[in-house]
Amino acid sequence: MPAATVVEVQNLVKRYGDVVAVDNISLKVKKGKILSFLGPNGAGKTTTVEILECLRSPSSGIATVLGLDVSNSSDQQKIRQRIGVLPQSFNTFGLLTVKENIEYFISMFGFRKQTDADSLIRLVDLEDKKDAHYRTLSGGLKQRVGIAIALVNDPEVIFLDEPTSGLDPKARRGVWSVINGLRDSGKTVFLTTHYMEEAEALADSVIIINNGKIVAEGPSSELIVIHGGARSIVLKEPGDSIVKAIRAWNSNTWFDGNSIKITMNDGSDVAKIVDLAQEYEFDLSNMDITKPNLEDVFLRLTGRTITEDGGTR
Amino acid sequence: MLMVLFGGIFSFSGDGFDLYVQNNDIMENGLATPLSESLIRTLNSTQAFDVKMIPPNQDMESLIHDKNAARILMVPKGFQSDTEMGSSIVLLRYDQSQASSSSLVGIVKSVLDGLNADIAGIEPIVSLQEENMVSNSLRFIDFFMPGVVGISIMTTGVFGAITTNTKYRTNGVLRKLATTPLGKLEWLSGMVFYQLILSILGAMLVITVGTILFGIAIRPTILTLLILLSGGLAFPGFGMIVARLVKNEESADAAGNAVTFPMMFLSGTFFPLDAMPEIVQIVARFMPLTYVNEGLRNSMLLGKPEAAFGNAIIVLLFAFVAIVVGSLITSWRDED
Ligand SMILES: Nc1ncnc2c1ncn2[C@@H]1O[C@H](COP(=O)(O)OP(=O)(O)OP(=O)(O)O)[C@@H](O)[C@H]1O
Ligand SMILES: [Mg+2]
């Protein structure tokens, strides 16, 4: 039996005046899967999830969550009862402790679906911080509190909007392991991010959105096979002269100021680069051959890459 | 703070120093007796008071009420003949709660002493009979006190609503709350209720401090509480409306000041409204604080419960309209 569809969007459009933030997108998320909604700043990620969370209304198109219509006000109330949300730039009451914050949000959902604050605290691994005031926590721990709060009503689907933005790599991995734990407990997760690595590491499938339009979708391995192209040769810190020479020979290159990436056509390209390296005295221990990744997929589809802060270049 | 400052300045300055004098010692030809005439002339010559003559037999109570008379000296009929017989009195009615009282009595007594010395008896013949009265003429601090209570509930409510709404909107907590089943009305009513409690506590503190520090003889009644409650609802409602126009936390205070300052000065907080230019009086009619101030004065100072009740109804109306409008325009979900 195929898994049930938890989120379904058809021809969704959202305009803000003249700006088309979401431009006719359609998608489906199956039960128990983690979907990564990947795109740079301003791509329309938050707008899409906020429509699914019943915070904004669509300009046109249909969106359903758990079979309920986000545009129908009596359905909206049911949706809110059954979803969990970590908003972008999550924040909560700074002068309450971790535990008090969680209990406050538990009380918001009435007595029917009460979960126990301590087990949520254990789930996000915050036992030693549960009596600390929220505002004294580091960014990564705050996000984990946010995830715990998103789980207070034992939701069937969880929306996480950029859960690791601005975190250092260690804190990011801490949040990832919490999200992986959600997968293990069978939750459906709709995760937006502008980190390629995050999408690749966590998601069962990835949807790439750019300028309000979906440019590709599928499991990341498939996207890489289809759109990622061949392996690449990467030279770290090349001199100006070798960069010039490589560009004269092969137009299929990408130079970000730090390293140059040459997409391979066949094995003879390696020999050519080795020749050029000798000619221009480039240290070959700084040469790598890399498999294509989501970055290549995004690059090939949009002609740009997403930077660390979510912009494009 | 403000209260201590203003209270200190005004509680000692007193109002004018009118002395109403009623001479009932009239001869058959309609003129005052020479002795009473000379007593009044002496009083006048001290220049300590502004002596105002009132006709004999005028009703004292209406004088106290209509003219806000706080000091009345009465020379009884037969004063001259009683003096000649060896014993007479002069009646002085004054408000003993007023700071000026003791000097009044002192001056009147010394005038009478002078008179007694002139008559040159061994025993003093003319004696002073003192009588307390509750005057309508308020000391400034008495007048000001309810105004301070009004300012207190206004600032608590307006600033409280503006800062709470703006803070939680800009720091993202409202966005999170909006994803839960919590409704806008639940959130706002919780907020208003919280401000209401703070307002009442603040008002009680102001009243207590005022009573202890300045010895203000106010008598809060159940209507005072009603006024406080309705004001405690009206001002957060008003704050919600203002909060809608505030972009960020930094401008929240400025917006709060921009609305509370004019209200404070235009609503009869510091000076009675009827002493203000007509335009101010008209503007004041549109400000809830005006009715809060009047209601507080009527209920705890002037003993006018009917008027206070009327004020309370108007403030409640303000509260209703402000809260309804404020709730309608406060954004919750789907803010584009
Ligand atoms: N309330 C709004 N009013 C007008 N325009 C808006 C509003 N919210 C978003 N936009 C615009 O819609 C577009 C999509 O914004 P959205 O927040 O959905 O992007 P995003 O993918 O979440 O980006 P980010 O990574 O920066 O969070 C942007 O061009 C943005 O400027
Ligand atoms: Mg966003």
Side-chain angles (χ1 to χ4, degrees):
Chain A
M1 195 184 85
T5 300
V6 173
V7 176
E8 183 161 11
V9 170
Q10 280 171 31
N11 306 107
L12 186 70
V13 175
K14 177 68 180 182
R15 286 185 212 94
Y16 299 110
D18 291 341
V19 180
V20 185
V22 174
D23 192 357
N24 198 21
I25 66 169
S26 300
L27 61 88
K28 277 184 186 174
V29 187
K30 298 284 186 198
K31 187 170 164 42
K33 301 288 182 192
I34 296 187
L35 171 82
S36 246
F37 206 48
L38 173 69
N41 291 339
K45 306 182 295 292
T46 298
T47 303
T48 306
V49 290
E50 290 195 346
I51 289 172
L52 296 173
E53 294 158 7
C54 311
L55 291 180
R56 295 170 195 249
S57 42
S59 303
S60 69
I62 300 171
T64 62
V65 175
L66 300 160
L68 300 159
D69 184 353
V70 300
S71 304
N72 174 311
S73 59
S74 75
D75 280 3
Q76 287 180 350
Q77 205 51 22
K78 293 181 197 146
I79 293 174
R80 284 187 197 110
Q81 288 283 353
R82 292 170 62 186
I83 63 171
V85 175
L86 175 77
Q88 184 167 0
S89 323
F90 165 79
N91 195 5
T92 184
F93 302 99
L95 292 174
L96 297 186
T97 65
V98 170
K99 188 169 178 185
E100 286 163 348
N101 265 298
I102 294 173
E103 283 168 343
Y104 175 78
F105 280 93
I106 288 176
S107 72
M108 200 91 68
F109 285 88
F111 300 103
R112 200 161 43 82
K113 269 197 164 178
Q114 269 220 24
T115 14
D116 147 45
D118 287 312
S119 67
L120 288 177
I121 289 169
R122 219 171 307 124
L123 191 73
V124 297
D125 203 9
L126 279 176
E127 279 110 324
D128 24 333
K129 291 285 182 185
K130 70 176 181 196
D131 294 319
H133 286 161
Y134 174 77
R135 59 167 189 174
T136 64
L137 302 181
S138 68
L141 300 191
K142 282 181 171 166
Q143 289 298 84
R144 288 201 241 163
V145 174
I147 293 176
I149 289 176
L151 296 172
V152 294
N153 55 334
D154 193 17
E156 292 154 73
V157 51
I158 300 152
F159 296 92
L160 306 174
D161 196 355
E162 305 206 6
T164 66
S165 273
L167 301 186
D168 62 60
K170 186 159 170 279
R172 184 169 298 161
R173 270 163 216 284
V175 173
W176 285 0
S177 80
V178 171
I179 297 173
N180 268 320
L182 297 181
R183 182 215 312 273
D184 299 341
S185 62
K187 306 272 187 204
T188 308
V189 178
F190 194 116
L191 168 100
T192 80
T193 185
H194 62 247
Y195 297 119
M196 307 281 180
E197 212 192 339
E198 182 163 293
E200 229 172 313
L202 292 176
D204 298 301
S205 70
V206 177
I207 291 180
I208 299 179
I209 180 170
N210 191 36
N211 288 329
K213 293 193 184 69
I214 292 178
V215 294
E217 61 179 300
S220 59
S221 52
E222 259 174 43
L223 290 181
I224 291 163
V225 170
I226 299 170
H227 303 286
R231 288 165 195 252
S232 307
I233 305 161
V234 176
L235 306 184
K236 280 186 207 127
E237 289 166 14
D240 289 346
S241 48
I242 191 170
V243 169
K244 234 173 161 181
I246 291 171
R247 281 182 162 167
W249 156 69
N250 187 336
S251 62
N252 212 353
T253 62
W254 182 260
F255 181 56
D256 68 0
N258 222 346
S259 53
I260 187 163
K261 191 171 189 172
I262 306 105
T263 310
M264 290 203 295
N265 296 314
D266 54 52
S268 68
D269 289 349
V270 180
K272 175 73 181 172
I273 293 291
V274 170
D275 285 350
L276 287 172
Q278 261 156 13
E279 191 179 336
Y280 292 97
E281 292 178 347
F282 178 80
D283 179 1
L284 276 176
S285 65
N286 284 332
M287 184 179 91
D288 262 332
I289 298 195
T290 63
K291 285 201 251 177
N293 55 22
L294 275 183
E295 220 168 296
D296 300 287
V297 174
F298 190 81
L299 178 63
R300 284 173 162 263
L301 289 171
T302 66
R304 310 184 69 78
T305 60
I306 302 182
T307 57
E308 177 65 17
D309 61 6
T312 55
R313 185 168 59 205
Chain B
M1 189 55 227
L2 201 62
M3 182 176 76
V4 176
L5 199 75
F6 277 90
I9 296 171
F10 289 103
S11 58
F12 304 109
S13 67
D15 39 347
F17 213 51
D18 292 342
L19 176 65
Y20 288 87
V21 176
Q22 187 179 48
N23 188 352
N24 289 320
D25 197 22
I26 308 292
M27 297 181 296
E28 298 202 336
N29 62 8
L31 294 173
T33 57
L35 187 64
S36 63
E37 222 7 273
S38 94
L39 168 67
I40 292 165
R41 215 177 310 113
T42 318
L43 271 175
N44 216 344
S45 67
T46 63
Q47 309 246 316
F49 341 89
D50 208 351
V51 172
K52 295 201 164 145
M53 295 305 296
I54 47 174
N57 303 322
Q58 184 180 331
D59 177 33
M60 292 273 183
E61 297 313 315
S62 69
L63 180 74
I64 293 169
H65 198 267
D66 300 343
K67 292 240 166 85
N68 286 344
R71 290 163 289 275
I72 304 171
L73 182 90
M74 204 263 278
V75 183
K77 186 156 184 57
F79 170 70
Q80 179 166 332
S81 53
D82 287 352
T83 310
E84 284 158 1
M85 307 268 288
S87 164
S88 67
I89 58 153
V90 169
L91 180 68
L92 181 63
R93 296 186 67 184
Y94 62 97
D95 187 343
Q96 291 176 349
S97 71
Q98 292 209 354
S100 55
S101 299
S102 56
S103 55
L104 168 77
V105 176
I107 295 166
V108 173
K109 275 192 173 148
S110 66
V111 169
L112 294 184
D113 285 348
L115 188 66
N116 280 327
D118 286 350
I119 300 167
I122 299 142
E123 292 285 307
I125 296 172
V126 184
S127 58
L128 182 67
Q129 183 178 332
E130 296 171 41
E131 201 174 294
N132 187 29
M133 71 175 192
V134 179
S135 75
N136 254 340
S137 96
L138 302 170
R139 289 183 304 161
F140 182 83
I141 184 70
D142 296 325
F143 173 85
F144 188 53
M145 172 74 184
V148 176
V149 177
I151 293 178
S152 151
I153 63 169
M154 172 181 71
T155 45
T156 309
V158 172
F159 279 93
I162 295 178
T163 37
T164 318
N165 266 8
T166 313
K167 175 174 155 202
Y168 289 125
R169 189 178 65 216
T170 51
N171 74 6
V173 173
L174 274 194
R175 191 151 18 94
K176 171 64 202 180
L177 288 171
T179 68
T180 72
L182 182 78
K184 176 164 89 174
L185 286 184
E186 289 170 277
W187 166 256
L188 288 178
S189 51
M191 190 275 290
V192 169
F193 187 68
Y194 176 66
Q195 303 304 337
L196 176 66
I197 292 179
L198 290 185
S199 301
I200 303 287
L201 289 179
M204 293 198 322
L205 183 72
V206 172
I207 291 174
T208 313
V209 169
T211 312
I212 294 172
L213 234 68
F214 301 112
I216 292 159
I218 43 167
R219 297 165 297 278
T221 63
I222 191 80
L223 280 166
T224 312
L225 187 64
L226 184 65
I227 300 272
L228 291 179
L229 287 172
S230 15
L233 292 172
F235 293 119
F238 195 68
M240 284 197 286
I241 299 177
V242 179
R244 188 64 183 90
L245 310 170
V246 175
K247 289 279 175 291
N248 52 43
E249 249 185 287
E250 288 72 46
S251 52
D253 272 356
N257 283 323
V259 298
T260 53
F261 259 95
M263 271 221 272
M264 195 148 94
F265 286 102
L266 296 177
S267 300
T269 306
F270 303 114
F271 307 104
L273 265 182
D274 37 22
M276 294 279 196
E278 195 177 351
I279 177 76
V280 175
Q281 297 192 29
I282 294 169
V283 173
R285 288 295 136 208
F286 293 94
M287 309 211 159
L289 185 59
T290 305
Y291 302 95
V292 171
N293 285 339
E294 284 182 358
L296 290 172
R297 285 181 189 123
N298 284 333
S299 70
M300 58 185 192
L301 205 59
L302 306 175
K304 293 181 183 166
E306 296 84 8
F309 187 72
N311 298 133
I313 297 297
I314 296 176
V315 180
L316 270 178
L317 267 170
F318 266 107
F320 179 77
V321 173
I323 289 178
V324 168
V325 172
S327 315
L328 286 176
I329 64 172
T330 300
S331 55
W332 184 244
R333 301 184 177 116
D334 199 22
E335 54 174 311
D336 285 356

Short mmCIF file of all heavy atoms in Angstrom, two decimals, chain A residues 16 19 21 40-47 56 88 162, chain B residues 335-336, ligand 1:
data_model
loop_
_atom_site.label_atom_id
_atom_site.label_comp_id
_atom_site.label_asym_id
_atom_site.label_seq_id
_atom_site.Cartn_x
_atom_site.Cartn_y
_atom_site.Cartn_z
N TYR A 16 2.37 39.31 -3.44
CA TYR A 16 2.32 40.47 -2.54
C TYR A 16 2.36 41.68 -3.44
O TYR A 16 3.45 42.06 -3.89
CB TYR A 16 3.54 40.51 -1.61
CG TYR A 16 3.69 39.31 -0.69
CD1 TYR A 16 4.71 38.40 -0.88
CD2 TYR A 16 2.81 39.13 0.37
CE1 TYR A 16 4.87 37.32 -0.03
CE2 TYR A 16 2.96 38.06 1.22
CZ TYR A 16 3.99 37.16 1.02
OH TYR A 16 4.15 36.11 1.87
N VAL A 19 4.81 41.59 -6.43
CA VAL A 19 5.78 40.51 -6.26
C VAL A 19 5.06 39.16 -6.28
O VAL A 19 4.10 38.96 -5.55
CB VAL A 19 6.52 40.67 -4.91
CG1 VAL A 19 7.52 39.54 -4.71
CG2 VAL A 19 7.18 42.02 -4.83
N ALA A 21 5.59 35.84 -5.02
CA ALA A 21 6.49 35.14 -4.11
C ALA A 21 6.48 33.64 -4.38
O ALA A 21 7.51 32.98 -4.29
CB ALA A 21 6.10 35.42 -2.67
N PRO A 40 17.41 29.65 -2.16
CA PRO A 40 18.11 30.81 -1.60
C PRO A 40 17.14 31.78 -0.93
O PRO A 40 15.92 31.57 -0.97
CB PRO A 40 18.76 31.45 -2.82
CG PRO A 40 17.87 31.07 -3.96
CD PRO A 40 17.31 29.72 -3.63
N ASN A 41 17.67 32.84 -0.35
CA ASN A 41 16.82 33.87 0.27
C ASN A 41 15.79 34.40 -0.72
O ASN A 41 16.12 34.64 -1.88
CB ASN A 41 17.66 35.07 0.72
CG ASN A 41 18.55 34.72 1.90
OD1 ASN A 41 18.28 33.76 2.61
ND2 ASN A 41 19.60 35.49 2.09
N GLY A 42 14.59 34.58 -0.25
CA GLY A 42 13.56 35.19 -1.09
C GLY A 42 12.98 34.26 -2.13
O GLY A 42 12.22 34.68 -3.00
N ALA A 43 13.31 32.95 -2.05
CA ALA A 43 12.83 32.02 -3.06
C ALA A 43 11.34 31.75 -2.92
O ALA A 43 10.67 31.36 -3.87
CB ALA A 43 13.60 30.70 -2.96
N GLY A 44 10.80 31.96 -1.72
CA GLY A 44 9.39 31.69 -1.50
C GLY A 44 9.14 30.54 -0.53
O GLY A 44 8.02 30.05 -0.39
N LYS A 45 10.18 30.12 0.19
CA LYS A 45 10.05 28.98 1.11
C LYS A 45 9.10 29.30 2.26
O LYS A 45 8.16 28.57 2.55
CB LYS A 45 11.43 28.61 1.69
CG LYS A 45 12.50 28.34 0.66
CD LYS A 45 13.82 27.92 1.29
CE LYS A 45 14.49 29.00 2.13
NZ LYS A 45 14.99 30.15 1.36
N THR A 46 9.40 30.42 2.95
CA THR A 46 8.58 30.76 4.12
C THR A 46 7.13 31.02 3.71
O THR A 46 6.20 30.59 4.39
CB THR A 46 9.17 31.99 4.83
OG1 THR A 46 10.48 31.67 5.27
CG2 THR A 46 8.33 32.41 6.01
N THR A 47 6.97 31.72 2.59
CA THR A 47 5.61 31.98 2.13
C THR A 47 4.86 30.67 1.94
O THR A 47 3.71 30.52 2.39
CB THR A 47 5.66 32.76 0.80
OG1 THR A 47 6.40 33.96 1.03
CG2 THR A 47 4.27 33.11 0.32
N ARG A 56 -1.01 32.42 6.28
CA ARG A 56 -1.28 33.32 5.15
C ARG A 56 -2.23 32.61 4.23
O ARG A 56 -2.27 31.38 4.19
CB ARG A 56 0.00 33.60 4.36
CG ARG A 56 1.03 34.36 5.15
CD ARG A 56 2.33 34.37 4.39
NE ARG A 56 3.39 34.79 5.29
CZ ARG A 56 4.03 35.95 5.20
NH1 ARG A 56 3.75 36.78 4.23
NH2 ARG A 56 4.95 36.27 6.07
N GLN A 88 10.50 30.43 11.16
CA GLN A 88 11.82 31.00 10.89
C GLN A 88 12.14 32.00 12.00
O GLN A 88 11.25 32.67 12.51
CB GLN A 88 11.78 31.71 9.53
CG GLN A 88 13.13 32.25 9.11
CD GLN A 88 13.16 32.66 7.65
OE1 GLN A 88 12.17 32.56 6.94
NE2 GLN A 88 14.31 33.13 7.20
N GLU A 162 13.96 26.74 8.20
CA GLU A 162 15.38 27.06 8.40
C GLU A 162 15.82 26.80 9.83
O GLU A 162 16.25 27.72 10.53
CB GLU A 162 15.67 28.50 7.98
CG GLU A 162 15.22 28.76 6.56
CD GLU A 162 16.00 29.88 5.88
OE1 GLU A 162 16.96 30.39 6.47
OE2 GLU A 162 15.65 30.21 4.73
N GLU B 335 -0.94 38.39 7.86
CA GLU B 335 -0.61 39.80 7.70
C GLU B 335 0.28 39.94 6.49
O GLU B 335 1.39 39.43 6.45
CB GLU B 335 0.03 40.40 8.95
CG GLU B 335 1.25 39.68 9.46
CD GLU B 335 1.88 40.46 10.60
OE1 GLU B 335 2.08 41.66 10.44
OE2 GLU B 335 2.15 39.85 11.63
N ASP B 336 -0.22 40.61 5.49
CA ASP B 336 0.55 40.72 4.24
C ASP B 336 1.35 42.01 4.22
O ASP B 336 1.01 42.94 4.89
CB ASP B 336 -0.39 40.67 3.05
CG ASP B 336 -0.88 39.26 2.81
OD1 ASP B 336 -0.40 38.35 3.52
OD2 ASP B 336 -1.71 39.08 1.95
N1 LIG C 1 4.67 40.24 3.94
C1 LIG C 1 5.27 40.42 2.73
N2 LIG C 1 4.96 41.48 1.97
C2 LIG C 1 5.54 41.66 0.77
N3 LIG C 1 6.46 40.86 0.23
C3 LIG C 1 6.82 39.78 0.95
C4 LIG C 1 6.25 39.50 2.23
N4 LIG C 1 6.79 38.37 2.71
C5 LIG C 1 7.65 37.95 1.75
N5 LIG C 1 7.68 38.79 0.70
C6 LIG C 1 8.49 38.63 -0.53
O1 LIG C 1 8.17 37.38 -1.08
C7 LIG C 1 9.35 36.76 -1.55
C8 LIG C 1 9.49 35.39 -0.90
O2 LIG C 1 9.74 35.58 0.48
P1 LIG C 1 9.90 34.35 1.48
O3 LIG C 1 10.00 34.93 2.84
O4 LIG C 1 8.83 33.37 1.24
O5 LIG C 1 11.30 33.76 1.03
P2 LIG C 1 12.20 32.65 1.74
O6 LIG C 1 12.48 31.66 0.71
O7 LIG C 1 11.59 32.20 2.98
O8 LIG C 1 13.51 33.48 2.02
P3 LIG C 1 14.47 33.50 3.31
O9 LIG C 1 15.53 32.48 3.10
O10 LIG C 1 15.04 34.87 3.26
O11 LIG C 1 13.64 33.27 4.50
C9 LIG C 1 10.48 37.70 -1.28
O12 LIG C 1 10.73 38.43 -2.46
C10 LIG C 1 9.98 38.59 -0.21
O13 LIG C 1 10.54 39.86 -0.30
#
